[in-house]
Amino acid sequence: MSKPEKDHAALSDVFTKDTARVDWHDETLWWIRAKRDNAAQQLPEWESLRTQASLIKENVLSRLDSYLLKFEAQAKKNGIIVHWAKDAAAHNQIVYDILQQKGLKQMVKSKSMLTEECHLNEFLAEKGVEVIDSDLGERIVQLAKEPPSHIVLPCIHKKKEEIGEIFSEHLGTPAGISDPKILTETARNHLREVFLTRKVALTGVNFAVAETGEFVVCTNEGNADMGAHLSEVHIAAMGIEKIIPRREHLGVFLRLLTRSATGQPITTYSSHYAKPRAGQEMHLILVDNGRSAQLGREDFRNSLKCIRCGACMNTCPVYRRSGGHSYHTAIAGPIGSILAPNLDMEKYADLPFASTLCGSCSNVCPVKIDIHNQLYKWRQVLVKAGHVDPKKVAAMKLMSFTLSNTKRFVLAGKAGRMVMKYAPFAVNNSLNLWYKQREMPEPPAQSFRAWYKKNRNNE
């Protein structure tokens, strides 16, 4: 694949032009992060749950093949039709083949980041199939012809006034309506007709239990249940890493998932699907799409523990102020910046650098993924593979040369202070992106080394 037309830095410029929106987006996501902290503090066993979840996932990843085969056998016993898809193209074709077999050109879909990753909607649209997203946030961005900007809160980047304009254009609400209750009721009435008329429904999968062959879908709106229960065919799309060994392990993950995502004690609906009802077909598609490759990368294997809570996005200072669309991949934020280069190193080479490496993402991860360490390791891999801007590589080599020798470091410090004092334009100019939204600080009178040497005997 070729490089994207714009990288994260360029796409961030689009979002940051509206400073009021940036501040609002930042504050809203931090508020959700604070809710997560409050919810976690209510459980004395919170850290123990995180450790248990991480170890369970560690076990799964070490024996993924056997757990998948066990799950497949149990699911087939339950009457579920199981498909295997090696990549996005295979997944999309399986969904289309099921629709063709039924002679159908319409489908209702609940939120599924895997289908976003596979670009299923676009694929089916090209085949003449109408797909309606039934999650409220997903439906909003679908009407706006945009991808989701967040894995849990798809339209977090939009204000209620903008949503009112979208509904006025597409759903016929009066212009100027921005009351969330009215907008939600409008969406509910619009989607009710969809649920009643669509014969095929697609859902994602949050967890799949190898022991029983069942899968669990967690939602707050109940739209997955509406679609699945009213349809003649239920298709579930699942990444192969969603396996957990036993049903009892759900007690660990369900307590972590929503507290980490939105600060709720649990999702409103945690729906278990073990077998199709009488007269219904149930298909489950197990999708690899690069996951086996990631499993084989020792430094990045732990990223497959992710339960898609979005906590790393809510805490990330870069994501909060650059917006989800700046990541030009289905899963944005810190975890997306680890997963995307695995699919295409050249196309997503910019994303691991869209981080301060502050470690806040790792601190909030409910399954203890070392996210910031993996971002740092990706940078090393990408540089060695030649997928990083040569100017950045040259700058890093120069910095390494300077910082690795005391005399060079001291000399560079003196030169820097002289330039800041007598020729600030050499630093503060349009070529230096660092100063694009910053003010030039006053040059220090002396270096810290000189200050310390002078004052250390006074203590």
Side-chain angles (χ1 to χ4, degrees):
M1 296 178 70
S2 60
K3 292 183 180 179
E5 292 183 8
K6 292 184 177 181
D7 62 9
H8 179 269
L11 291 168
S12 297
D13 283 344
V14 177
F15 187 75
T16 55
K17 284 179 181 177
D18 187 343
T19 55
R21 184 187 300 275
V22 171
D23 291 343
W24 167 78
H25 189 262
D26 182 17
E27 292 166 5
T28 301
L29 287 166
W30 186 253
W31 173 71
I32 297 170
R33 157 70 204 270
K35 286 182 64 182
R36 173 262 178 208
D37 291 349
N38 290 333
Q41 290 166 11
Q42 301 304 310
L43 294 182
E45 66 273 29
W46 179 256
E47 289 304 319
S48 174
L49 287 171
R50 291 181 69 210
T51 300
Q52 288 180 62
S54 181
L55 291 174
I56 291 168
K57 282 289 190 177
E58 192 79 42
N59 173 264
V60 167
L61 295 178
S62 69
R63 301 174 53 201
L64 186 57
D65 56 340
S66 61
Y67 281 126
L68 284 169
L69 292 173
K70 182 177 181 180
F71 172 76
E72 179 191 32
Q74 293 298 325
K76 285 182 173 179
K77 280 184 184 179
N78 296 343
I80 301 174
I81 302 168
V82 179
H83 308 263
W84 295 82
K86 67 176 182 178
D87 54 24
H91 164 270
N92 294 346
Q93 190 62 48
I94 290 168
V95 175
Y96 181 61
D97 289 345
I98 295 169
L99 288 163
Q100 273 198 314
Q101 290 167 12
K102 301 298 178 181
L104 298 172
K105 290 287 188 179
Q106 293 178 319
M107 184 176 76
V108 63
K109 181 167 75 71
S110 70
K111 184 164 62 181
S112 162
M113 292 313 299
L114 177 59
T115 60
E116 294 291 340
E117 175 188 322
C118 295
H119 302 289
L120 176 66
N121 285 18
E122 295 90 334
F123 172 84
L124 292 179
E126 291 175 359
K127 300 287 186 180
V129 176
E130 180 193 45
V131 179
I132 300 293
D133 281 299
S134 59
D135 175 271
L136 178 55
E138 291 273 349
R139 186 60 178 144
I140 290 167
V141 295
Q142 185 181 36
L143 291 172
K145 295 181 172 56
E146 295 177 0
S149 67
H150 191 288
I151 59 177
V152 176
L153 310 162
C155 68
I156 189 65
H157 59 290
K158 288 197 176 295
K159 297 185 177 182
K160 59 185 180 180
E161 292 79 10
E162 294 170 314
I163 296 170
E165 292 175 7
I166 293 169
F167 278 25
S168 178
E169 179 182 352
H170 296 281
L171 303 183
T173 56
I177 295 293
S178 61
D179 185 326
K181 291 183 179 179
I182 296 175
L183 297 176
T184 302
E185 184 65 23
T186 300
R188 183 178 291 119
N189 291 333
H190 159 64
L191 290 170
R192 186 59 55 96
E193 183 272 335
V194 173
F195 289 129
L196 292 171
T197 56
R198 269 40 175 191
K199 295 182 179 181
V200 179
L202 187 145
T203 70
V205 173
N206 289 93
F207 305 102
V209 184
E211 174 187 47
T212 62
E214 69 188 293
F215 59 92
V216 178
V217 181
C218 302
T219 69
N220 275 327
E221 300 173 27
N223 55 304
D225 295 330
M226 288 286 286
H229 293 327
L230 293 173
S231 66
E232 296 177 6
V233 180
H234 176 189
I235 305 171
M238 170 188 151
I240 57 174
E241 80 283 9
K242 294 299 181 72
I243 290 281
I244 60 173
R246 296 196 295 271
R247 179 185 281 174
E248 67 186 70
H249 294 147
L250 286 169
V252 175
F253 289 98
L254 292 178
R255 297 176 77 192
L256 288 167
L257 175 61
T258 319
R259 284 181 170 91
S260 297
T262 58
Q264 298 170 252
I266 197 166
T267 48
T268 307
Y269 303 92
S270 296
S271 305
H272 296 237
Y273 295 92
K275 61 182 179 180
R277 69 172 189 275
Q280 185 191 48
E281 278 186 21
M282 185 177 288
H283 296 259
L284 188 135
I285 309 172
L286 294 164
V287 184
D288 188 320
N289 201 39
R291 286 159 175 79
S292 291
Q294 191 81 327
L295 186 65
R297 298 180 188 273
E298 187 175 352
D299 286 339
F300 307 108
R301 181 180 300 143
N302 281 347
S303 62
L304 295 176
K305 293 180 179 180
C306 178
I307 59 175
R308 303 295 193 268
C309 68
C312 61
M313 300 180 183
N314 301 337
T315 199
C316 177
V318 176
Y319 174 88
R320 295 199 321 262
R321 298 198 67 82
S322 64
H325 291 157
S326 63
Y327 289 80
H328 62 93
T329 184
I331 300 174
I335 189 64
S337 298
I338 296 170
L339 298 174
N342 175 64
L343 295 173
D344 189 326
M345 271 198 256
E346 182 179 12
K347 183 177 181 181
Y348 301 114
D350 58 307
L351 297 185
F353 294 90
S355 169
T356 64
L357 301 181
C358 65
S360 186
C361 48
S362 301
N363 290 339
V364 301
C365 178
V367 289
K368 293 191 172 182
I369 302 172
D370 56 332
I371 300 174
H372 71 293
N373 286 330
Q374 293 193 33
L375 289 169
Y376 175 64
K377 289 173 182 176
W378 260 126
R379 295 181 184 187
Q380 296 172 307
V381 171
L382 292 165
V383 168
K384 289 178 181 178
H387 295 309
V388 177
D389 187 339
K391 294 191 294 295
K392 180 176 286 189
V393 175
M396 292 300 104
K397 286 183 177 179
L398 177 60
M399 182 175 289
S400 176
F401 175 78
T402 303
L403 298 180
S404 62
N405 180 276
T406 303
K407 290 182 178 179
R408 288 196 291 264
F409 175 71
V410 171
L411 182 61
K414 289 180 178 178
R417 290 191 296 277
M418 292 288 287
V419 169
M420 289 176 68
K421 185 174 182 180
Y422 297 108
F425 55 84
V427 178
N428 190 3
N429 58 60
S430 60
L431 297 177
N432 189 349
L433 298 179
W434 181 257
Y435 283 107
K436 191 172 182 180
Q437 293 182 334
R438 295 174 174 85
E439 294 180 358
M440 172 72 79
E442 290 291 327
Q446 59 183 169
S447 68
F448 173 76
R449 176 186 293 271
W451 178 90
Y452 182 74
K453 187 176 181 179
K454 177 181 178 182
N455 291 280
R456 64 179 176 175
N457 295 326
N458 296 334
E459 297 183 2

